[in-house]
Amino acid sequence: MAKNSITFLVYGRYALFTDPVTHLGGEKCSYHIPTYEALKGIVKSIYWKPTLIWYIKRVRIMKPFRTQTRSMKPIAYDQAGNTLSIYTCLADVAYQVEACFEWNTYRKELAHDRIDGKHYEIAKRMLAKGGRQDIFLGTRDCQGYVEPCRFGEGKGAYDDLDELGFGLMFHGFSYPDETGENMLKARFWRPVMKNGIIEFIRPEQCDIVKPIHPMKPKVFVQGKNFSGLKEEGLL
């Protein structure tokens, strides 16, 4: 295995994977499979620094699709207090995920932090501890848990299903610090599951991209909002 790749099992009682249109307010209904952006958020909760970019390579569905409705009281955006909504979530989910990271070449101010082996070893330690931050399956209302695993081990729910398409789905967001463009964009694609595994295309391979609004990346300045390697004891 390359020194930039990790595999893990993520599971939880509920999951809610939505697209940007239904992400805020009102009733919500989950996709049947996790989105690229949701899995990327899970990996970043395990370990992340702006020096690198995580890419999701593939996901394996370990448990059958089950949906369950839940009564929720989200914050009302047009008035004070809360409102009542019905969320259609996935129930009892588990996924095997393979992810890898690459250096963020757009972060030239952090080029000195591109140390071979350092981030890989930290990511493995954080994964073994269950993640550096709390794990959520699409939304904060759905707590998740992670642990190391070997991708492909065990019995998956759809190992014997040849092929299943899911139509047009949300892939993820393209942020300025990862694209070099001062624009936030949303990407879409058409996933296909083969024998229980979904192979993700890379963000730049998505042919359906929608600009959201102008946005500039955060700039890291030594001594102001970035401690640097000397303060971390690495030099």
Side-chain angles (χ1 to χ4, degrees), residues 112-123:
H112 55 278
D113 195 33
R114 300 171 191 168
I115 303 173
D116 289 337
K118 167 193 169 183
H119 299 284
Y120 172 67
E121 295 298 331
I122 297 176

Side-chain angles (χ1 to χ4, degrees), residues 59-62 94-96 151-156 159 196-197:
V59 62
R60 183 174 179 227
I61 312 300
M62 301 303 294
Y95 311 101
Q96 289 181 353
F151 194 94
E153 67 179 3
K155 176 66 176 178
D159 293 350
I197 297 176

Side-chain angles (χ1 to χ4, degrees), residues 5-211:
S5 179
I6 62 172
T7 58
F8 59 91
L9 174 71
V10 56
Y11 57 95
R13 293 182 60 189
Y14 300 102
L16 183 61
F17 306 115
T18 58
D19 62 24
V21 176
T22 61
H23 187 68
L24 294 176
E27 311 291 325
K28 296 182 182 181
C29 184
S30 177
Y31 286 129
H32 283 84
I33 58 175
T35 63
Y36 180 97
E37 188 70 23
L39 294 177
K40 183 177 178 180
I42 292 172
V43 179
K44 292 174 71 174
S45 293
I46 295 172
Y47 174 71
W48 177 80
K49 286 188 70 176
T51 308
L52 51 88
I53 300 175
W54 281 106
Y55 293 93
I56 308 301
K57 299 179 67 175
R58 53 183 178 166
V59 62
R60 183 174 179 227
I61 312 300
M62 301 303 294
K63 293 189 176 182
F65 303 135
R66 291 179 51 213
T67 59
Q68 181 175 332
T69 57
R70 303 177 65 191
S71 298
M72 308 294 290
K73 298 182 66 176
I75 297 175
Y77 289 91
D78 58 346
Q79 60 186 7
N82 299 75
T83 184
L84 180 63
S85 294
I86 301 297
Y87 289 4
T88 303
C89 304
L90 298 177
D92 190 23
V93 299
Y95 311 101
Q96 289 181 353
V97 183
E98 182 178 358
C100 67
F101 67 82
E102 298 176 7
W103 302 131
N104 188 346
T105 57
Y106 298 105
R107 288 291 188 186
K108 300 185 184 302
E109 70 273 27
L110 302 178
H112 55 278
D113 195 33
R114 300 171 191 168
I115 303 173
D116 289 337
K118 167 193 169 183
H119 299 284
Y120 172 67
E121 295 298 331
I122 297 176
K124 287 200 305 180
R125 292 199 301 269
M126 294 301 102
L127 174 58
K129 292 180 178 294
R132 175 171 282 183
Q133 298 178 343
D134 291 339
I135 305 298
F136 302 113
L137 293 164
T139 176
R140 180 172 287 273
D141 300 308
C142 302
Q143 180 74 44
Y145 308 91
V146 295
E147 61 185 51
C149 77
R150 185 183 298 274
F151 194 94
E153 67 179 3
K155 176 66 176 178
Y158 300 101
D159 293 350
D160 300 325
L161 182 61
D162 292 339
E163 186 173 306
L164 178 63
F166 294 91
L168 184 66
M169 279 186 57
F170 174 64
H171 185 274
F173 290 112
S174 295
Y175 293 98
D177 63 330
E178 297 182 355
T179 63
E181 303 177 5
N182 293 330
M183 178 65 69
L184 174 65
K185 300 178 181 179
R187 308 182 307 269
F188 298 85
W189 73 313
R190 294 177 174 84
V192 176
M193 182 177 68
K194 297 181 179 180
N195 299 113
I197 297 176
I198 299 169
E199 302 275 353
F200 286 99
I201 61 176
R202 288 175 64 93
E204 61 269 21
Q205 294 176 317
C206 293
D207 55 0
I208 304 176
V209 181
K210 179 180 176 58

